[in-house]
């Protein structure tokens, strides 16, 4: 009688894939602290004003380097303007934060159409949305909430997660899972708990989707992904899309062109934690992966090759039934992995990490612009800015 309520998405799979991962060297602190490579943008809150920069999940920059942020917890898009340094700390900046638009669900990822003020956003509840900030009174428009499959049926988009746009104008976005985000007591959507349920259930339901604005059509490029999180299109030639496959601690590569067109392959495996947002430079020579958490101990147990699969499924099923308050939390950690890109391969480069999350933690979004990485987080009340040129 109670199982449908305790397990609305069914029990854990008996045959989940096993991820491989690396453990970070927690003695290495290369992000923030004495490194001098991290600045923080805090909100300048007016007297009797409401704080808006509460968990800026993703930072977005337009062609003119104007800064915007998606606040998943509050379901809003904000602008970040009038930056000024703190008189007491050169690594602290203060800015005005202004609400521009609100969403029905949690906005997690977004990108501007190059050369325009048209912004596409992934709303977890609605699907793919857009807003034209060039208009006097911009309104959020729903673009797609479902996709037509090859058999003619329609499939709902249940967890729109991230967006990127190619030079061709094609809009690529991820549908992370078929598990819906439910609401917390403060009425925000619990995107983290939905991910945990997806991981424990062990069903590959993530998808990579494409929206063609010329014909107003969405199609499925790839499916069967273990939580399709952040995505980044090759900005130089639009030859591939990088996908963060969170539960397998790796990134995938979807080939848009070439001999491997239409195929998925592993890009970077055995990361030091669970990957989230990703981005690539304009030249396409480097990509970056946000790592919000190292591998929690409970996941290390499940990833072990000594764990019997039947026992693993039983334990995961039990964890799915526990109250949210008893769900395993992420580690106090924050990192960004740099990927060196060549025509033939992608290799792990520098690791920027705050091993205990002292200066910055739970980094969920990374956006590269002008030699800086703008770092978003569901946890922090500031935007991190990592200067890639500071050694």
């Amino acid at each position: 009688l109670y199982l449908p309520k305790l397990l609305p998405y069914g029990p854990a799979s008996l045959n989940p894939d096993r991820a491989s991962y690396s453990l970070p060297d927690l003695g290495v602190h290369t992000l923030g602290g004495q490194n001098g490579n991290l600045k923080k943008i805090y909100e300048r809150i007016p007297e009797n004003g409401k704080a808006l920069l509460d968990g800026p999940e993703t930072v977005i920059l337009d062609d003119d380097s104007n800064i915007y942020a998606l606040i998943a917890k509050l379901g809003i898009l904000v602008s970040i303007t009038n930056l000024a340094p703190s008189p007491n700390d050169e690594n602290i900046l203060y800015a005005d934060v202004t609400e521009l638009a609100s969403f029905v669900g949690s906005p997690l990822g977004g990108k501007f159409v190059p050369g325009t003020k048209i912004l596409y956003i992934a709303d977890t509840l609605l699907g793919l949305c857009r807003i034209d900030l060039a208009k006097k009174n911009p309104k959020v428009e729903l673009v797609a909430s479902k996709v037509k499959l090859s058999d003619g049926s329609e499939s709902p988009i249940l967890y729109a997660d991230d967006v990127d746009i190619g030079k061709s104008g094609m809009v690529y976005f991820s549908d992370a899972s078929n598990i819906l985000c439910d609401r917390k007591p403060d009425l925000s959507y619990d995107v983290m708990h939905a991910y945990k349920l997806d991981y424990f259930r062990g069903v590959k339901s993530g998808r990579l989707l494409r929206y063609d604005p010329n014909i107003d059509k969405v199609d499925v490029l790839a499916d069967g992904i273990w939580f399709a999180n952040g995505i980044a299109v090759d900005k130089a030639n639009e030859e591939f899309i990088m996908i963060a496959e969170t539960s397998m601690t790796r990134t995938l590569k979807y080939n848009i062109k070439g001999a491997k067109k239409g195929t998925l392959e592993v890009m970077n495996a055995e990361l030091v934690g669970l990957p989230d947002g990703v981005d690539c430079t304009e030249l396409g020579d480097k990509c970056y992966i946000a790592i919000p958490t190292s591998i929690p101990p409970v996941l290390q147990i499940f990833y072990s090759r000594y764990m019997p699969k039947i026992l693993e499924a039983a334990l995961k099923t039990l964890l799915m039934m526990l109250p949210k308050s008893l769900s395993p939390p992420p580690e106090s950690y924050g990192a960004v992995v740099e990927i060196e890109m060549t025509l033939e391969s992608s290799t792990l480069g520098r690791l920027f990490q705050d091993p205990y999350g002292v200066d910055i933690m739970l980094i969920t979004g990374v956006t590269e612009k002008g030699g800086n990485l703008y770092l978003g987080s569901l946890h922090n009340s500031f935007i991190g800015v990592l200067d890639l040129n500071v050694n």
Side-chain angles (χ1 to χ4, degrees), residues 31 162 229-232 242-246 249-252 267-281 286-293 333-341 346-353 363-368 373-376 386 388:
L31 176 57
D162 198 15
N229 207 322
I231 65 167
M242 182 184 197
I243 309 164
E245 190 179 29
T246 302
T249 66
R250 67 188 183 187
T251 58
L252 301 176
M267 194 171 183
N268 303 102
E270 299 186 10
L271 297 172
V272 294
L274 302 176
D276 198 323
V278 295
D279 198 23
C280 297
T281 62
K286 290 182 175 65
C287 293
Y288 297 91
I289 308 169
I291 307 290
T293 176
Y333 180 83
V336 177
V337 178
E338 184 177 71
I339 305 297
E340 301 279 354
M341 304 295 297
S346 60
T347 56
L348 297 178
R350 292 178 291 179
L351 172 64
F352 302 96
Q353 74 168 2
I363 300 172
T364 53
V366 56
T367 305
E368 192 279 334
L373 296 183
Y374 294 82
L375 308 177
L386 170 61
L388 294 169

Side-chain angles (χ1 to χ4, degrees), residues 189-220:
Y189 286 91
D190 199 340
V191 295
M192 290 285 286
H193 188 67
Y195 164 69
K196 293 175 183 178
L197 289 178
D198 183 90
Y199 169 76
F200 292 135
R201 183 186 59 165
V203 175
K204 298 189 288 185
S205 62
R207 302 184 290 187
L208 174 65
L209 308 178
R210 174 178 58 191
Y211 171 67
D212 186 343
N214 299 307
I215 58 176
D216 193 32
K217 180 184 176 183
V218 178
D219 61 341
V220 179

